[in-house]
Amino acid sequence: MSSSRRSPTIRRVRARLRGRAGPYWVLSIGLALSTSVVVGRLSAEAIDARARWGESRPTLVARVNLPAGHRLTAGDTELVDWPVAVVPDGALAGGAEGRVLRGPVRRGEALVDARLDTGQGSATAALVPAGQRAVAVPQGPARPPLDVGDRVDLVASFELDQATTDSPTVTVARGAPVLAVDDVAVTVAVPTDDVERVAYALTAGDVTLALAGPR
C-alpha cells in the first residue's frame, strides 16, 4: 500500500486518539482538584479542632468500673490521649499501680492523684476520711445489706440503768461511711470526737446499723 493512501488513515487514528484523550485529562484534572479540596478541608478541620481543644496529653483512665478500696493493678488502667482542655487537675499519666482508690471510679474516667492513697497502708485505711477514725461494729442477728460506700447511723440501745439519757436508745453517730464488710463486722468511719462515745456504746449496749438513703 502506498504511503499516499496510508497517511490519511494514520491521521484519522491519531485524531481519534486525541479526541478520546481530552475527556481523560479533564477527568484526571477534576479528580486532582477534588482531592485537593477534600485534603484542604480536612486539614482546616484539624486546625480548627486543635484551636478549640488545644494540644493533647497522655492521661491514665480506668478500663473498667473500679470500686472504692480497690488496689490498682496494671490491667486496670490505660493511657489515652486527651485534649489538655478537658484533662482534670491532678490527672495521672502513670505511677498508679499499687495505689488504693479512695472512691469508686467509672470506666473511662481519668485517675486523679487526690482520689488515690499512697498505697502504703491497707485498703481500708485508705478510705478513712481526714479527721475520722475507723470503728468495727460486730455483725448483729439482723442488719441491712451493706456495701462499701454506704452510709449508716449507729443507734445504741442500753439497759435503763446504763442509759446516759432519759431514753435507753440513742444515736451515737450519723452518716458514717461503710469502709469494709465481712462476716464478722462492719467497719465504719466516725468523727474523731465521737470515737469514745461509739466505743462506750459498743461495750455497754447493743449497736444497730441503720442504712441511710442517698443524699
Side-chain angles (χ1 to χ4, degrees):
M1 184 179 293
S2 64
S3 60
S4 60
R5 297 183 60 187
R6 187 182 299 122
S7 296
T9 302
I10 294 175
R11 286 196 296 271
R12 284 196 298 272
V13 172
R14 289 178 175 175
R16 289 178 181 176
L17 291 175
R18 285 196 298 270
R20 294 177 180 176
Y24 169 80
W25 287 111
V26 170
L27 180 60
S28 297
I29 294 172
L31 289 174
L33 290 175
S34 299
T35 301
S36 176
V37 170
V38 171
V39 171
R41 184 181 301 165
L42 293 176
S43 298
E45 290 176 355
I47 293 173
D48 290 342
R50 177 164 292 187
R52 289 195 304 269
W53 295 105
E55 299 293 332
S56 62
R57 54 159 283 192
T59 304
L60 204 62
V61 302
R63 297 182 62 185
V64 295
N65 294 335
L66 300 171
H70 177 73
R71 192 178 297 275
L72 292 171
T73 65
D76 293 329
T77 61
E78 61 182 341
L79 276 176
V80 178
D81 283 333
W82 275 22
V84 173
V86 300
V87 175
D89 292 339
L92 300 175
E97 187 173 353
R99 299 181 66 179
V100 178
L101 295 174
R102 294 182 182 273
V105 174
R106 303 292 295 178
R107 177 184 178 185
E109 184 179 347
L111 295 178
V112 181
D113 184 70
R115 298 183 63 187
L116 296 176
D117 188 72
T118 60
Q120 299 301 313
S122 68
T124 302
L127 299 178
V128 180
Q132 298 193 19
R133 297 292 184 267
V135 177
V137 180
Q139 292 276 25
R143 68 164 178 82
L146 297 172
D147 291 318
V148 174
D150 287 340
R151 290 186 175 272
V152 295
D153 294 340
L154 277 64
V155 181
S157 299
F158 302 94
E159 298 292 339
L160 287 176
D161 59 347
Q162 294 177 316
T164 57
T165 66
D166 294 336
S167 172
T169 301
V170 60
T171 299
V172 293
R174 296 183 183 276
V178 175
L179 308 182
V181 180
D182 58 35
D183 294 335
V184 178
V186 176
T187 302
V188 301
V190 299
T192 302
D193 292 343
D194 292 340
V195 170
E196 293 182 1
R197 182 168 56 172
V198 171
Y200 174 79
L202 288 171
T203 56
D206 294 322
V207 175
T208 301
L209 298 178
L211 177 62
R215 292 187 170 186

